[in-house]
Amino acid sequence: MSEKFQNYINGQWVDTKSGRTFEDRNPARWDEVVGTFPKSSKEDVDEAVKAARAAFKTWRLVPAPKRGDIVRKAADLLVARKEEIARLMTREMGKVLLETRGDVQEGIDTGYYAATEGRRLFGMNAPSELPNKMNLSFRVPIGVVGVVTPWNFPMAIPTWKIFPALVSGNTVVFKPASDTPATATMLVKILEEAGLPTGVINIVHGGGGEVGNAIVEHTDVDALSFTGSTVVGKKLSEVGSRTLKRISLELGGKNAQIVMDDANLDLALDAVLWGAFGTTGQRCTATSRLILHEKIHDMFMKMLINRASKLRLGDGLLPDVEVGPCINEGQRERVHSYVEIGRQEGAKLVLGGEAATGGDLDLGWFYKPTIFDGVTPAMRIAVEEIFGPVLSVLTVKSFEEAVDVLNGTSYGLSSSIFTQDVNRAFRAMRDIEAGITYINGATIGAEAHMPFGGVKQTGNGHREGGWTVFDFYTEWKTVYVDFSGKLQKAQIDTYNQ
Ligand code: NAP
């Protein structure tokens, strides 16, 4: 019997009114059911929004430093349960323990950072143009925030959204990905234990089309923070705009690493292996294109194929495993369909290109680390997000061409260049069209206190992480205090009086 999980609405763990359930399974051992979850409906969302709306009345009045204290306590609890959560996360989404521990650690870092913002949340004041008058502007919460998250960072991404939303004084209705509902439930249990008042956090499990959509359509949800695919993000943006919601979208990527002819090739090699095949390539910041200067192409490819062919696949709970499975069968099929597209487009398959099978690998959705050489910028495998362990290699003759090729997709999340030429490095920082650029680092590995997000089709201009995310979760309130004892008029021509 698998463990049975529930929704958390208005401070109670409850079943869905629909009576339906769905299973959360281990992608490395598909027979293993991690848990059974409520397949909720619009009715459950309505209840959750009602609870969040009621709780907002009092939560917004709790002093921000106290709200921060609760988030700090939640971060303490994450520290205490880090190993337990990491193991659960590996079971439900497959990435290796080192990475799931890192995912929890990102949540911890986000919590400790967000807690300190409870004592900042800076406003901006300016002098008045009139005597005996004071002008203030400060932040106030927005209201009820909908949070819809993907499966690839089951703890980090929800905390990126929920912790700053709470510290800012908002209440939350949270719908996690159907592939990773157990980790999400742990987070909500921890917030409950940390002392969050009734109704401030609510979790409603279920499908995106039903539960996610009901949150986005809801007239009483004021803001939506979504991370996921560009296709779904665009749809949510349209639907959410009908009720004039504030919407933050963190979407897909087609990130590239450039390796110039002057680069430290050993470092560049470690970076691309980690960036392309870590998390089985299932990171929004994964290195999905490698742009090689022609002078080092042949040597670097030899080094790369040699190392990539030795990567150890398997159940992420086992020691020494470096690459876990794809999240589910559909995702593995999608990855393979792109491999077929690459072949048909004339790219040269130099490694992998098929499901990884044999022994315990047959139990899950494993796919061999795959590399295409001879990829040209117009090929679909050079511009579309694959979200799996597939690397497309393009060759260039110059730095300028490398940057042009890197910029030649509709996405703009992460990017990297390996060079020891300081002038090239600075030109790259300026000219690369991406929200994040690494100099001599892999495309993956954001830090919790820095702005995170992308340009072009990767998002709609908001940022997660650090101080920038608080701009999304707060409204500006401007207050004029007139202590002159007269009715002084601004926006009237008083200059000559
Ligand atoms: P997804 O299919 O777009 O799903 C994301 C979330 O949206 C899930 O909770 C999903 O629910 C829900 N959803 C799906 N359809 C919906 C609809 N019609 N209305 C409302 N909600 C809906 O993405 P994914 O496969 O989980 O994640 C992979 C994608 O996320 C990749 O494109 C990746 O690049 C992107 N990503 C971006 C970032 C970033 O920060 N830029 C970070 C991580 C991932 P179900 O799970 O129930 O379908």
Side-chain angles (χ1 to χ4, degrees):
M1 273 293 283
S2 66
E3 192 178 348
K4 184 173 169 276
F5 290 80
Q6 293 176 300
N7 290 330
Y8 184 68
I9 297 175
N10 206 21
Q12 303 290 322
W13 291 97
V14 290
D15 290 330
T16 166
K17 291 191 169 10
S18 77
R20 298 170 302 172
T21 56
F22 69 94
E23 285 175 342
D24 175 23
R25 286 172 179 263
N26 181 342
R29 302 174 183 278
W30 199 242
D31 279 352
E32 180 188 330
V33 178
V34 177
T36 305
F37 287 81
K39 192 169 183 184
S40 313
S41 67
K42 184 176 174 310
E43 256 190 299
D44 302 300
V45 171
D46 286 344
E47 289 292 310
V49 174
K50 209 166 109 194
R53 175 58 60 195
F56 180 61
K57 278 195 186 136
T58 43
W59 179 243
R60 72 182 185 86
L61 300 177
V62 173
K66 291 230 166 348
R67 298 193 297 244
D69 287 345
I70 294 178
V71 167
R72 184 181 300 103
K73 177 88 193 296
D76 289 341
L77 292 167
L78 284 173
V79 171
R81 305 212 187 125
K82 184 172 172 181
E83 192 60 18
E84 180 194 348
I85 300 170
R87 286 182 172 272
L88 176 68
M89 194 191 298
T90 294
R91 279 176 61 221
E92 76 170 342
M93 74 76 62
K95 62 186 176 186
V96 301
L97 257 185
L98 198 63
E99 293 187 30
T100 52
R101 287 181 189 132
D103 195 320
V104 182
Q105 186 58 45
E106 180 84 4
I108 294 165
D109 296 340
T110 299
Y112 287 143
Y113 182 88
T116 67
E117 273 300 331
R119 290 189 179 271
R120 278 190 297 263
L121 282 180
F122 291 136
M124 278 189 264
N125 301 329
S128 169
E129 64 193 38
L130 294 168
N132 295 319
K133 189 179 171 196
M134 190 179 284
N135 296 353
L136 314 171
S137 71
F138 51 85
R139 295 167 189 272
V140 292
I142 302 175
V144 177
V145 176
V147 166
V148 179
T149 55
W151 44 264
N152 64 339
F153 277 88
M155 180 60 76
I157 291 179
T159 60
W160 282 2
K161 298 174 187 306
I162 292 170
F163 287 168
L166 296 177
V167 170
S168 299
N170 303 289
T171 55
V172 172
V173 177
F174 173 28
K175 188 220 103 61
S178 299
D179 284 303
T180 51
T183 307
T185 303
M186 285 292 276
L187 173 62
V188 173
K189 284 190 170 156
I190 278 174
L191 281 165
E192 179 189 28
E193 201 178 323
L196 207 60
T198 298
V200 175
I201 179 90
N202 303 272
I203 186 168
V204 185
H205 294 285
E210 198 166 357
V211 174
N213 196 53
I215 293 174
V216 181
E217 280 186 332
H218 209 291
T219 50
D220 219 12
V221 172
D222 304 289
L224 173 77
S225 182
F226 171 80
T227 298
S229 60
T230 297
V231 175
V232 173
K234 282 184 177 169
K235 211 182 293 172
L236 301 197
S237 179
E238 275 176 38
V239 176
S241 300
R242 287 185 214 139
T243 47
L244 293 180
K245 280 184 183 48
R246 181 182 294 201
I247 302 174
S248 171
L249 301 173
E250 293 296 339
L251 309 175
K254 188 70 186 174
N255 317 291
Q257 174 180 317
I258 297 172
V259 184
M260 293 305 300
D261 49 347
D262 60 31
N264 177 328
L265 296 188
D266 292 325
L267 280 190
L269 178 63
D270 284 343
V272 71
L273 285 165
W274 173 224
F277 304 118
T279 326
T280 321
Q282 302 175 121
R283 286 195 190 210
C284 51
T285 51
T287 311
S288 134
R289 295 177 294 155
L290 174 66
I291 302 171
L292 294 180
H293 192 282
E294 60 178 2
K295 283 195 194 149
I296 49 101
H297 170 274
D298 292 356
M299 189 203 298
F300 196 79
M301 285 305 289
K302 228 181 261 169
M303 292 160 64
L304 175 61
I305 294 167
N306 177 37
R307 284 276 299 280
S309 61
K310 292 182 182 145
L311 289 169
R312 289 179 297 268
L313 273 63
D315 182 337
L317 286 179
L318 299 173
D320 300 333
V321 166
E322 293 165 296
V323 182
C326 297
I327 184 70
N328 53 39
E329 186 177 16
Q331 191 59 26
R332 186 168 78 170
E333 278 170 8
R334 182 185 148 89
V335 168
H336 191 65
S337 73
Y338 269 102
V339 169
E340 290 302 323
I341 290 167
R343 279 199 178 107
Q344 283 156 21
E345 287 179 314
K348 192 174 158 208
L349 183 68
V350 293
L351 188 73
E354 58 186 2
T357 52
D360 281 356
L361 295 181
D362 289 336
L363 302 174
W365 309 119
F366 295 92
Y367 202 85
K368 288 185 178 167
T370 296
I371 302 176
F372 276 109
D373 198 3
V375 177
T376 56
M379 288 181 184
R380 285 181 64 191
I381 59 166
V383 291
E384 295 178 18
E385 185 180 50
I386 300 173
F387 222 56
V390 180
L391 180 67
S392 299
V393 183
L394 299 99
T395 310
V396 293
K397 292 185 165 55
S398 65
F399 168 78
E400 289 73 17
E401 189 187 354
V403 173
D404 276 353
V405 168
L406 185 147
N407 288 342
T409 76
S410 58
Y411 296 108
L413 183 53
S414 188
S415 56
S416 141
I417 181 167
F418 277 78
T419 179
Q420 307 207 53
D421 177 334
V422 71
N423 294 340
R424 276 180 177 161
F426 272 86
R427 279 158 62 201
M429 289 179 222
R430 182 192 62 193
D431 296 339
I432 285 176
E433 296 168 358
I436 304 165
T437 296
Y438 292 87
I439 306 296
N440 296 325
T443 60
I444 64 177
E447 297 183 31
H449 58 291
M450 296 299 287
F452 180 94
V455 302
K456 303 201 279 192
Q457 304 275 304
T458 290
N460 61 346
H462 295 289
R463 289 291 180 271
E464 311 225 69
W467 62 97
T468 40
V469 72
F470 289 87
D471 286 334
F472 179 74
Y473 289 111
T474 53
E475 298 272 16
W476 282 103
K477 172 79 157 269
T478 302
V479 175
Y480 298 103
V481 184
D482 192 321
F483 47 96
S484 68
K486 293 182 281 189
L487 184 67
Q488 303 195 87
K489 294 176 181 166
Q491 288 187 328
I492 293 288
D493 183 6
T494 53
Y495 264 89
N496 298 321
Q497 288 173 12

